[in-house]
Amino acid sequence: MNNFEFKNPTKIIFGKDSIKKLENEIPKDAKVLLLYGGGSIKKNGIYDQVKKALAKVNIVEFGGIPANPEYALLMDALKVIKDEKITYLLAVGGGSVIDGTKFLSSAALFEGETPWDILSKNIRTEKGMPFGTVLTLPATGSEMNSGAVITRKETKEKLSMGGPGLFPEFSILDPQVIASIPQHQLANGLMDAFTHVLEQYMTYPTEALLQDRFAESILQTIIKVAPKVLKDPTDYKAASNFMWSCTMALNGLIQKGVPTDWAVHAMGHELTALFGIDHARTLAVIAPSHYKFNFEAKKEKLAQYAARVWNITDGNTDDKAYAAIEKTVAFFHELDIDTKLSDYTKDYEGTAEKIAQRFTDRGWLGLGEHQSLSPDKVEKIVKMAY
Amino acid sequence: MNNFEFKNPTKIIFGKDSIKKLENEIPKDAKVLLLYGGGSIKKNGIYDQVKKALAKVNIVEFGGIPANPEYALLMDALKVIKDEKITYLLAVGGGSVIDGTKFLSSAALFEGETPWDILSKNIRTEKGMPFGTVLTLPATGSEMNSGAVITRKETKEKLSMGGPGLFPEFSILDPQVIASIPQHQLANGLMDAFTHVLEQYMTYPTEALLQDRFAESILQTIIKVAPKVLKDPTDYKAASNFMWSCTMALNGLIQKGVPTDWAVHAMGHELTALFGIDHARTLAVIAPSHYKFNFEAKKEKLAQYAARVWNITDGNTDDKAYAAIEKTVAFFHELDIDTKLSDYTKDYEGTAEKIAQRFTDRGWLGLGEHQSLSPDKVEKIVKMAY
């Protein structure tokens, strides 16, 4: 097990009818900027629940934050924060709204030249404006971690940021919100959380026995509840396990003491930036090729995953490892998620070269747990994913 | 899954040679009371490492805190805190030293009549004097939770306390400390952590799928590393998994959203108070009888535990559940821990009645996940454990 530090101070408020507990979490004298997305919260009743819980609090609203939160739009929100002397941020939404709120939390107190530096120069946020979240779409784990990913349209870039100042003070997780999420987004959430675990697990054995078991626990739970959630999103038992699994998949715990990969995300982000493909679906496109290309380096863990998660016991290590990749692809298909780039765009020729070039331009020499995936290897993996 | 709230702000610093990181965690201007136990830290080098890391900090020492930290002695330490105007507490030890430090953290800021009220009147600690820990004996999980158990010799009582103000600010976990722990205490630590998980898991099914899997993960890991730790405590891989499992067994995570039992601890505490039997060993005495007595209520979970943790697949639910209890007892014996009260004292007659009477006197009407274990049932369970 590698040395590690772990601290996660976010308060989770989980369960039925928990949105009303908002009123206990935000200081009475705060001036709150309520951030949300495309307006679904006004249709499914969450907006009303939030407003009711905060009836006594001074609130300004900023809606319309899209998937892959966009820098230019967030700069508009930052202006509101300054103009209105906002003191507290409340994200009501999924990962995109929460990530956008994290950027604002950092940017509101940033003293550098331009907030873009936080992303482009990878500046760690030690202290941000306090914020909380009401999660409306389980997927990214952003509700209990200190990272965010922000997109800049003009340059087709998708960059990450983070730091100990970016943990939400609280996050409210009411699994009942799942009932009104469209199938397409439920599948994305299941896919996203599943891949988050794989990125922190599918590397090489390090005798971090408990971390491995925890990662497998989340994978097993997602596999178990996925068909139930998709069939009946009002099934509270399935919904609550889905929601808690998404949070635990990326709240820092399972990555402690172990190597992590994240190459699937790095390549996937480029597909979103280039083609606008849903984040989760880019992961389904890249992951199978990634595991096949890096088969030798990952086969021990793939075989362990085969045995423990998919109950594949026949054959040698190679057989089991290969069967596990097949099972994983089949699982993605069961979520009704396509796993080839050509399923999403006819315009895929040249994509592999383009992505490799972008990595070269950014000076990213090696991705993955061994930092060994050079741009030429990235090119091969993306080509395998056509 | 039941509604829950979860917040655990303790910073964990885990790994080889991590004690030296102490210097970054305690404010430079603090006046520190360094608390420790019987002095083993002076023999195994931990004391020297701590003193070196804190060379620039103003430190007062208070050693000699025994297993089952004793109220009267802690009151002496409290006097030192007041007299010396201490501002920060540092526990260097196992669960007993850490629990004693938690009591002091609370008592130092307590404004009631007598600090005994914190225990006898079950007063929640919202804010305590800040403290950190250097863990020298993995077992209780106290390094990452907000609870403590304190003993009062004069009344032979062992009572618990807690509250959000009692999380350590940081805990340093260097698995190398395990190399110098005596076999007897290593076995106690393994036993204690194992039972902590059982208390939060061995109840009835509630479809909290992830919590179940996490609990099973910890049990599987302890079973896997126990013989290695006992055979060679310098085996860092085994030691690190043991240490992290103990912390995760009782840091609040696996109990969220599920019913918990804790009757084994409640009965076990009485055996420690009455006979001075090691805490961990009292759990080994009570647990088998407890699970047999409550077989009908617990057999679904016992059978799940049988299948997932012990790979027992033959037979019906009853068969598997019973076999799991047998396996558990055999595991305790492999740790060289006896499982009958008569193995520890010849003077056991009347103990069951005495404990039942004490519960009656305290007004504890029902223990366990259903609050259904009345004193007469407690009497039967303890008698089965003779």
Side-chain angles (χ1 to χ4, degrees), chain B residues 89-105:
Chain B
L89 307 175
L90 177 63
V92 180
S96 296
V97 174
I98 299 174
D99 279 13
T101 300
K102 285 178 179 173
F103 170 76
L104 292 170
S105 163

Side-chain angles (χ1 to χ4, degrees), chain B residues 199-364:
Chain B
E199 296 269 37
Q200 301 165 88
Y201 167 82
M202 203 60 78
T203 57
Y204 52 89
T206 55
E207 296 238 9
L209 306 182
L210 188 59
Q211 289 89 326
D212 276 5
R213 293 269 182 204
F214 278 1
E216 289 151 2
S217 296
I218 302 171
L219 297 173
Q220 286 171 299
T221 303
I222 293 173
I223 291 167
K224 176 92 177 176
V225 301
K228 295 182 187 180
V229 167
L230 290 173
K231 190 178 169 205
D232 177 11
T234 69
D235 176 343
Y236 186 82
K237 286 178 183 173
S240 54
N241 280 292
F242 167 39
M243 198 168 211
W244 192 222
S245 292
C246 291
T247 301
M248 291 304 305
L250 199 53
N251 69 354
L253 183 68
I254 63 170
Q255 77 182 23
K256 292 303 165 185
V258 300
T260 57
D261 183 345
W262 295 110
V264 175
H265 272 69
M267 291 181 263
H269 284 172
E270 299 301 321
L271 296 181
T272 299
L274 292 171
F275 298 105
I277 302 170
D278 290 358
H279 168 62
R281 285 160 205 257
T282 68
L283 306 175
V285 167
I286 297 292
S289 302
H290 180 61
Y291 297 137
K292 283 178 192 161
F293 184 86
N294 296 289
F295 191 80
E296 282 304 313
K298 290 178 183 289
K299 71 182 183 186
E300 297 293 333
K301 283 305 275 286
L302 279 164
Q304 177 180 316
Y305 161 70
R308 293 188 183 172
V309 174
W310 293 109
N311 300 314
I312 297 166
T313 49
D314 287 346
N316 59 22
T317 299
D318 283 43
D319 297 335
K320 282 188 265 188
Y322 190 80
I325 298 176
E326 296 292 288
K327 273 279 192 186
T328 306
V329 171
F331 175 61
F332 297 166
H333 288 160
E334 277 166 35
L335 301 178
D336 201 16
I337 289 184
D338 292 320
T339 53
K340 288 289 178 186
L341 183 57
S342 52
D343 297 324
Y344 296 90
T345 174
K346 300 253 173 286
D347 198 23
Y348 56 82
E349 287 298 343
T351 303
E353 292 82 353
K354 201 180 291 177
I355 290 177
Q357 188 58 49
R358 287 167 71 116
F359 284 179
T360 304
D361 293 347
R362 272 192 224 119
W364 290 9

Side-chain angles (χ1 to χ4, degrees), chain A residues 202-256:
Chain A
M202 203 59 77
T203 58
Y204 51 89
T206 56
E207 297 237 11
L209 306 182
L210 188 59
Q211 290 89 327
D212 276 5
R213 293 270 183 205
F214 278 2
E216 290 150 3
S217 295
I218 303 171
L219 297 173
Q220 286 170 298
T221 304
I222 293 173
I223 291 166
K224 176 94 176 173
V225 301
K228 295 183 187 181
V229 167
L230 291 173
K231 191 178 169 205
D232 178 11
T234 68
D235 176 344
Y236 185 82
K237 285 177 182 173
S240 53
N241 281 292
F242 166 39
M243 200 169 210
W244 192 222
S245 292
C246 290
T247 301
M248 291 304 304
L250 198 54
N251 69 354
L253 183 68
I254 63 169
Q255 77 180 23
K256 293 302 166 183

